[in-house]
Amino acid sequence: MNNIAQLGEPVLAEVATYVRDFGPELQQLVERMQTAMEDANGVGIAAPQIFESQRVMIIASRPSERYPDAPHMEPLVLVNPEMLTHGSTKQLGWEGCLSVPGIRGRVCRFCDVGIAYQDLNGNSHSIQLSGFVARIAQHELDHLDGKTFVDKVESRRDLIAGTVWEQQCR
């Protein structure tokens, strides 16, 4: 996983820049992101996690050993995403991160969000997301703003070793 930026690397603390060029370099970036995410068995990834400070993220929910109840969806690439709306309900839930291996954190997130974004051709779209997929989107949006889930936990008691989480919380 050395192609994934790890907690403490400066790129993860930067606010990512907006994409202005929708040329072949963007497609190549997305392909690298997709490969890194799949190799690490992740359900989402943001460009800063592969050392590119650009506002690009992928959401790719699917059931796995870590997330057995996750809904299956085709990977969705969001360029220059912005959260436009959110519901009034929040939920506390455990999160992990490819950039924070071995640690899980309990984070409060909105259950429903509306996101505006551009596709790889620069066309504008909006989407409503709920549940686990909304959690992934908010987690990846945080990366674009220079934050990880560690910045979002309310207290240190909301952090736990991945092995302990496997035994106690799953």
Side-chain angles (χ1 to χ4, degrees):
M1 258 199 317
N2 59 0
N3 59 339
I4 305 247
Q6 301 295 289
L7 184 65
E9 304 219 41
V11 69
L12 293 178
E14 295 174 10
V15 174
T17 60
Y18 284 88
V19 173
R20 304 270 183 244
D21 182 357
F22 289 82
E25 296 84 15
L26 179 59
Q27 179 64 46
Q28 292 167 359
L29 169 63
V30 168
E31 288 170 9
R32 290 188 0 249
M33 290 170 64
Q34 183 83 32
T35 298
M37 180 183 68
E38 289 171 0
D39 288 351
N41 200 26
V43 294
I45 195 165
Q49 292 182 275
I50 64 161
F51 300 93
E52 294 286 344
S53 187
Q54 295 187 56
R55 296 189 78 78
V56 181
M57 64 187 221
I58 300 173
I59 303 171
S61 176
R62 65 188 167 4
S64 68
E65 189 175 309
R66 277 184 294 197
Y67 307 110
D69 299 325
H72 185 276
M73 65 180 287
E74 289 300 313
L76 177 64
V77 176
L78 298 95
V79 180
N80 299 325
E82 300 285 341
M83 185 164 48
L84 295 179
T85 62
H86 57 75
S88 58
T89 307
K90 285 185 161 186
Q91 185 173 38
L92 207 55
W94 289 104
E95 296 184 14
C97 182
L98 303 179
S99 294
V100 188
I103 302 287
R104 289 209 158 290
R106 198 167 29 201
V107 180
C108 196
R109 303 271 189 198
F110 291 106
C111 296
D112 300 285
V113 296
I115 297 179
Y117 68 97
Q118 292 172 283
D119 61 25
L120 289 171
N121 298 313
N123 299 314
S124 295
H125 302 272
S126 64
I127 189 168
Q128 292 294 128
L129 304 171
S130 61
F132 184 67
V133 178
R135 179 171 292 278
I136 297 170
Q138 291 167 85
H139 178 106
E140 302 309 335
L141 281 166
D142 282 348
H143 279 302
L144 302 182
D145 291 331
K147 302 204 178 315
T148 67
F149 76 82
V150 176
D151 298 305
K152 296 287 190 164
V153 295
E154 290 184 20
S155 85
R156 295 179 89 190
R157 286 172 290 202
D158 290 324
L159 293 172
I160 191 170
T163 53
V164 176
W165 177 84
E166 292 277 336
Q167 296 167 356
Q168 294 180 5
C169 302
R170 199 163 163 190

